[in-house]
Amino acid sequence: EPVKLVCREDRLEQLAADLSIHRLDMVLADRPLPSNMDIKGYSHPLGECGIAFLAARTIAEALGPDFPANLHGAPLLIPGEDSALRVPLLRWLERRGFQPTIVGEFNDSALMSAFGQAGAGVFPVPLTTAQEVMQQYKVVELGQTQDIRERFFAISVERRLSHPAVVAVSEAARRRFQPRD
């Protein structure tokens, strides 16, 4: 059947509210539906992966090849406050004693990638999308870590996914997270 895809970006709480009144069929999120929310919904894990740090070639060359130490003092673009990646990323840097200069905070990963492409700073991306981001934005990888994990969930009002489009998106995402040999 033909499917009309409508994509919205908002805080998880607002998207979950729209889901509960059937304005949306599914929410893709970086964390499960919080248990303290008074919304009936189910979080279906899609997968998780590590993080790659990317930058424009000029930034990467200036920082040198010594990852992750080259992040110390580096200009860094980070996800916004609503991202589940933000706190683990900042803790990871702090535990290692790295103090980058945070030059931008972004709620939109594509906008963060565009600023990274323009040379504004180093930026994190999930390993599952790193190759596509490097190709599309003409940036290079400084390094990667499995110590920080990006998680993905499909949230629906169904305990068991049945909507054909939701099932298709969910299965495609799960295939993407399959370990590659």
Side-chain angles (χ1 to χ4, degrees):
E1 288 182 41
V3 173
K4 178 182 178 187
L5 189 62
V6 177
C7 299
R8 295 191 185 121
E9 187 171 352
D10 207 333
R11 298 184 66 89
L12 180 57
E13 294 78 11
Q14 180 59 51
L15 294 170
D18 287 346
L19 182 70
S20 72
I21 58 173
H22 303 283
R23 283 189 183 151
L24 301 174
D25 293 313
M26 175 180 61
V27 171
L28 295 175
D30 59 0
R31 63 185 165 276
L33 192 62
S35 58
N36 64 348
M37 287 187 71
D38 193 24
I39 293 173
K40 185 172 179 168
Y42 301 94
S43 300
H44 308 277
L46 299 175
E48 64 179 69
C49 65
I51 299 299
F53 290 85
L54 309 180
R57 188 170 304 279
T58 55
I59 296 288
E61 289 170 355
L63 295 175
D66 189 21
F67 181 83
N70 58 4
L71 295 175
H72 186 72
L76 183 66
L77 310 173
I78 64 170
E81 290 180 359
D82 198 40
S83 169
L85 178 62
R86 180 188 176 102
V87 170
L89 170 64
L90 294 175
R91 283 189 187 142
W92 181 81
L93 291 164
E94 184 180 331
R95 278 195 312 269
R96 280 153 185 76
F98 303 141
Q99 295 179 345
T101 302
I102 297 174
V103 295
E105 300 180 21
F106 297 83
N107 292 330
D108 181 308
S109 61
L111 186 59
M112 183 167 57
S113 297
F115 271 75
Q117 176 186 37
V122 177
F123 60 102
V125 299
L127 278 172
T128 57
T129 61
Q131 290 301 319
E132 288 94 345
V133 173
M134 287 190 293
Q135 185 176 4
Q136 179 178 352
Y137 291 93
K138 308 294 186 244
V139 293
V140 297
E141 181 179 302
L142 269 67
Q144 53 183 255
T145 181
Q146 293 291 334
D147 294 340
I148 307 169
R149 305 295 288 173
E150 179 92 80
R151 299 168 57 202
F152 300 92
F153 295 86
I155 302 172
S156 73
V157 294
E158 305 170 311
R159 181 180 299 273
R160 191 168 166 272
L161 298 178
S162 62
H163 188 288
V166 174
V167 169
V169 168
S170 178
E171 288 176 355
R174 284 193 183 106
R175 279 193 304 275
R176 178 114 188 189
F177 289 102
Q178 294 289 325
R180 292 175 173 85
D181 294 331

